Amino acid sequence: MVNEHRGHKPRTQAAHRSRRWFMNKALLAGGVSAVAVMGGYAASSADAEETGSADATASASPSGPPPGGGFGRTIAYDDFVGVTTDGTVVGDLYAVHSTGVSTLPVVRAAQAFVASLTEEQKAATLYDVDSDQWLDWTNVDSNDRDGVALRDLTEKQYALGIRLLRASLSARGLRQADSIRKLNQFLGEYEGDTSKALNEDAYWFTVMGTPSASGAWGFQFEGHHLVINCFILGDQVVMTPTFMGSEPTKITYEGKKYHLFREETVAGLELLRSLDDTQLAQALSADAKSGADLLAGAGQDNAVIPYAGVKGSALNRRQRRLLLDLTEVYVGYQDEGHARVRLREIEKHLDDTYFYWIGAYEDESAFYYRVHSPVVLIEYDAESPLGYHEGDSDTSASASASDSASAGPGGPGGPQGAPTQQHIHTIIRTPNGNDYGVDLLKLHLETDH
């Protein structure tokens, strides 16, 4: 059975799901009046950063329903289908098998972290492996989350939580996650309030199932601009959906230079610029870049996104390598061994992988691109400024909270300003039913139980 924690706190989970859906629905329908209730950065982000279609269906272009940035409708685990191109799941894509890559480091790290929690913390943090909690995430700066936050942990618990992340991510992935959290702290200082969700420790852990080397379990790490879902079955790992973003992305803060998503930006541009005129005509959208084009964000677990762009089978050998290199940037945030396993899975479907682009493609252009195949969906979106606004000539100056004195929420230009590389959202998903390892869990239960 998979009910180690089923019913552990049904009232809390149901109430949380209802509360979040009520807030999401109010924001989608209530416009300015609903936004005004929230206040601060969350209010400025509601119109642009965090809009989502209520029925979790998206078109291939921004002319369709609002993009899924973070306020789409949360569905129940039992209603999960996954991202598809037409509403129909492609079968026989995933299988329970041995990868030959050990998961013992992350299992032991999770066991130690859970053992360190108090009974009260465990009551807030532990869920069934098939819990709705998996799908109940958002990238917005919100304190309305379940689990235990880094800021509420003891020094020992905090170290064990970071150890769990370190065991799950590559060195580059951990560095990226740490940088996102650090720039969330900067944004809080810039906005003048680090007491709530805009700080580096406003990130929550939940654990689904019981960490073990043979069973099915996983964890979620959730906060503003950073959401990691990690499902583990034996030595198989599914680390999707993983959402990573930042505002700003390029800045000097506390004497350290940050330039987040540079690899994602450069790799996308390199692939696009390698295309000939015929390929470019297929890859480029006729639509103009909007302030937010992300389709498969939070609340979009059953999104319908048709293929669009240039197909992998139409690329030459060098271009196919560039496409795989681009995918590897995102896949490479998980631990190295399982990243290689994942990349081999993606490479098998390279002929059926599509590359799609919205916007200009100069070095500093704000653009959107998508990599989409039966087994992977990647989105990169440079969005409108919400909480941070840089000066016309200041792209990397040292910043502090005092810089925001005249900016106000959303900065000059507000949330409807021109999109910029200073505000980027990315997401990677496993289409056709295996986000959160759902398909693997079903297969596991059918064959082993």
Side-chain angles (χ1 to χ4, degrees):
M1 298 294 289
V2 294
N3 296 335
E4 296 96 335
H5 308 290
R6 182 177 295 280
H8 189 63
K9 49 172 192 169
R11 183 194 61 79
T12 301
Q13 186 172 334
H16 176 72
R17 192 163 59 243
S18 175
R19 183 169 63 253
R20 180 170 288 178
W21 167 231
F22 176 82
M23 180 178 70
N24 294 352
K25 185 175 181 181
L27 282 166
L28 288 169
V32 175
S33 61
V35 171
V37 174
M38 295 180 65
Y41 181 77
S44 69
S45 66
D47 282 337
E49 177 178 359
E50 316 303 351
T51 54
S53 86
D55 64 356
T57 302
S59 72
S61 74
S63 61
F71 271 113
R73 181 174 184 174
T74 298
I75 60 173
Y77 189 95
D78 289 344
D79 295 328
F80 174 83
V81 175
V83 175
T84 62
T85 59
D86 60 4
T88 302
V89 174
V90 177
D92 299 323
L93 291 172
Y94 312 107
V96 177
H97 66 279
S98 175
T99 66
V101 181
S102 176
T103 54
L104 281 178
V106 67
V107 170
R108 290 169 178 164
Q111 290 172 335
F113 175 69
V114 170
S116 76
L117 301 179
T118 66
E119 292 306 309
E120 183 179 2
Q121 289 171 326
K122 288 178 181 177
T125 304
L126 304 182
Y127 288 83
D128 291 346
V129 72
D130 58 350
S131 170
D132 294 350
Q133 179 63 30
W134 279 116
L135 288 75
D136 192 18
W137 62 268
T138 178
N139 54 282
V140 303
D141 54 310
S142 169
N143 281 316
D144 183 30
R145 304 179 194 273
D146 287 317
V148 60
L150 286 176
R151 65 187 176 202
D152 296 325
L153 299 176
T154 66
E155 184 176 346
K156 178 183 178 181
Q157 291 171 332
Y158 191 105
L160 290 172
I162 298 302
R163 178 184 165 195
L164 175 55
L165 290 179
R166 182 179 294 111
S168 309
L169 302 172
S170 65
R172 185 169 65 86
L174 184 63
R175 185 166 59 250
Q176 176 88 332
D178 287 347
S179 296
I180 290 171
R181 291 172 47 226
K182 195 67 177 177
L183 292 193
N184 193 49
Q185 175 77 29
F186 161 77
L187 190 58
E189 295 177 10
Y190 183 88
E191 288 284 310
D193 185 3
T194 61
S195 65
K196 298 176 183 177
L198 295 181
N199 65 74
E200 61 185 308
D201 290 333
Y203 292 85
W204 281 254
F205 278 107
T206 49
V207 177
M208 275 60 85
T210 301
S212 74
S214 57
W217 68 281
F219 73 90
Q220 185 179 82
F221 186 68
E222 179 192 8
H224 184 224
H225 277 149
L226 178 62
V227 182
I228 298 170
N229 289 286
C230 183
F231 171 85
I232 297 172
L233 174 62
D235 65 4
Q236 290 182 268
V237 174
V238 179
M239 194 174 282
T240 64
T242 289
F243 182 104
M244 292 186 175
S246 187
E247 185 186 21
T249 60
K250 183 180 180 182
I251 201 166
T252 299
Y253 174 51
E254 295 183 340
K256 181 178 178 180
K257 291 184 177 180
Y258 293 87
H259 193 171
L260 277 65
F261 303 104
R262 176 165 175 77
E263 288 182 86
E264 290 88 340
T265 300
V266 171
L269 285 169
E270 187 173 8
L271 174 56
L272 189 80
R273 291 170 178 173
S274 75
L275 303 180
D276 61 32
D277 290 344
T278 299
Q279 295 167 329
L280 197 61
Q282 295 172 337
L284 287 178
S285 171
D287 296 299
K289 179 74 182 76
S290 73
D293 292 292
L294 199 77
L295 298 177
Q300 301 296 327
D301 287 303
N302 286 352
V304 175
I305 305 176
Y307 289 133
V310 62
K311 196 174 181 181
S313 58
L315 303 180
N316 62 37
R317 180 177 297 181
R318 175 176 176 270
Q319 292 166 336
R320 288 165 64 88
R321 182 70 250 176
L322 291 174
L323 176 57
L324 201 59
D325 288 347
L326 173 58
T327 305
E328 189 174 12
V329 173
Y330 294 84
V331 173
Y333 284 131
Q334 68 182 111
D335 75 274
E336 290 88 347
H338 290 98
R340 289 192 294 270
V341 172
R342 175 75 163 129
L343 205 62
R344 288 196 295 269
E345 177 185 63
I346 292 169
E347 190 171 13
K348 291 178 182 177
H349 297 270
L350 205 60
D351 279 351
D352 297 317
T353 302
Y354 290 77
F355 181 59
Y356 178 67
W357 190 281
I358 302 174
Y361 40 95
E362 301 300 324
D363 287 353
E364 302 301 323
S365 296
F367 50 78
Y368 163 96
Y369 66 72
R370 182 165 72 239
V371 176
H372 191 185
S373 85
V375 296
V376 71
L377 172 65
I378 292 168
E379 291 185 284
Y380 166 110
D381 193 26
E383 304 199 344
S384 294
L386 297 178
Y388 173 77
H389 181 84
E390 61 184 359
D392 291 340
S393 60
D394 178 15
T395 58
S396 60
S398 179
S400 67
S402 62
D403 294 334
S404 65
S406 62
Q416 300 304 322
T420 170
Q421 285 188 24
Q422 282 285 33
H423 186 193
I424 291 174
H425 285 185
T426 69
I427 192 164
I428 179 169
R429 283 185 176 270
T430 307
N432 292 299
N434 209 31
D435 272 337
Y436 316 102
V438 173
D439 196 63
L440 282 186
L441 181 60
K442 290 178 181 177
L443 292 170
H444 169 65
L445 296 177
E446 288 172 1
T447 56
D448 296 347
H449 289 69

